[in-house]
Amino acid sequence: QQQVKQSPQSLIVQKGGISIINCAYENTAFDYFPWYQQFPGKGPALLIAIRPDVSEKKEGRFTISFNKSAKQFSLHIMDSQPGDSATYFCAASKGRSNDYKLSFGAGTTVTVRA
Amino acid sequence: DTGVSQDPRHKITKRGQNVTFRCDPISEHNRLYWYRQTLGQGPEFLTYFQNEAQLEKSRLLSDRFSAERPKGSFSTLEIQRTEQGDSAMYLCASSFGDRGGVEAFFGQGTRLTVV
């Protein structure tokens, strides 16, 4: 049973456009929500992460929006570039419960067209 | 390179053979994780070490799988009597515990193909 549900499965965006990926969770014990970027044949790379005490976090062109009451969070990629073409995974863990394993979503493949 | 290192990067083995993978975590990281990733899916947790102690094992980790982390440094994951269903990318990650956080950094993975 997947604890974090991610959508869409794939998306295509034009260069300069905005990519939006959504994730939802049920377990309210989750308190750390990272996003990972993965290129083919490579391991996932930590992109940005958020904790539920803030509603938004921005790092460069990447922004996480977090809605605690709805148990949803999303990744926005602004000014998408061809180099952003990759698979993105949301994840969650329960650090305060000393449970640090990550539960991943199924991934979203982003294709940025030049 | 001070990141998480995994060896080998690729392994092709015949069904029924044993294989062993190695992971060298980031040097100051006390937590080490193994995950498995199949095509088109997110990584799935297998097991976790804090220092040399194996603290949790997923039900995905059948009795054919064993992991060790001697002296709390590198870790090995062994699969005995491999099956075709074991074909996957095996990922190792490490993190530093006291930050209350779980910024886990992944290695490049070992791609296992069982033929």
Side-chain angles (χ1 to χ4, degrees):
Chain A
Q1 180 186 357
Q2 200 149 40
Q3 297 197 58
V4 180
K5 294 188 177 356
Q6 183 171 349
S7 63
Q9 186 175 5
S10 63
L11 67 90
I12 299 172
V13 62
Q14 294 296 316
K15 180 181 175 182
I18 302 173
S19 303
I20 302 174
I21 306 169
N22 300 300
C23 285
Y25 64 97
E26 286 298 323
N27 193 332
T28 55
F30 285 138
D31 58 8
Y32 176 75
F33 302 90
W35 285 88
Y36 283 84
Q37 179 189 57
Q38 187 176 31
F39 294 104
K42 305 293 186 182
L46 181 62
L47 199 58
I48 185 173
I50 198 168
R51 297 189 181 279
D53 49 347
V54 297
S55 60
E56 186 174 282
K57 183 173 181 180
K58 183 175 181 179
E59 288 184 3
R61 297 184 293 107
F62 300 92
T63 299
I64 300 178
S65 296
F66 188 84
N67 186 329
K68 188 174 180 179
S69 61
K71 292 184 283 188
Q72 295 175 347
F73 57 110
S74 60
L75 177 70
H76 295 231
I77 307 173
M78 315 299 285
D79 187 26
S80 296
Q81 300 296 311
D84 297 332
S85 296
T87 299
Y88 293 81
F89 294 95
C90 60
S93 67
K94 312 167 198 171
R96 289 199 184 95
S97 305
N98 290 323
D99 183 353
Y100 298 100
K101 65 181 180 288
L102 291 163
S103 296
F104 282 86
T108 297
T109 300
V110 174
T111 302
V112 182
R113 295 259 167 89
Chain B
D1 185 355
T2 57
V4 178
S5 177
Q6 291 189 245
D7 184 71
R9 292 292 311 279
H10 303 273
K11 178 71 176 178
I12 300 174
T13 191
K14 292 183 178 179
R15 189 175 54 186
Q17 297 294 304
N18 299 343
V19 294
T20 300
F21 310 141
R22 177 180 170 123
C23 171
D24 287 272
I26 294 171
S27 59
E28 66 268 25
H29 285 184
N30 58 348
R31 294 200 175 100
L32 186 146
Y33 316 79
W34 286 97
Y35 290 82
R36 181 172 69 188
Q37 185 178 26
T38 54
L39 205 59
Q41 297 297 318
E44 295 176 293
F45 171 77
L46 292 178
T47 190
Y48 148 62
F49 290 85
Q50 180 159 319
N51 300 312
E52 67 275 10
Q54 188 174 18
L55 296 186
E56 187 173 350
K57 294 192 288 187
S58 162
R59 59 179 172 77
L60 294 176
L61 211 67
S62 76
D63 57 7
R64 295 184 298 105
F65 288 69
S66 63
E68 294 182 342
R69 192 184 181 196
K71 302 179 183 176
S73 55
F74 70 93
S75 176
T76 59
L77 178 68
E78 181 183 17
I79 309 174
Q80 296 183 327
R81 305 181 304 281
T82 52
E83 302 172 355
Q84 287 188 321
D86 297 332
S87 295
M89 173 81 89
Y90 290 84
L91 293 163
C92 176
S94 69
S95 69
F96 182 61
D98 285 352
R99 297 171 70 173
V102 291
E103 288 183 340
F105 297 90
F106 282 81
Q108 300 282 48
T110 294
R111 168 74 64 190
L112 173 66
T113 303
V114 182
V115 298

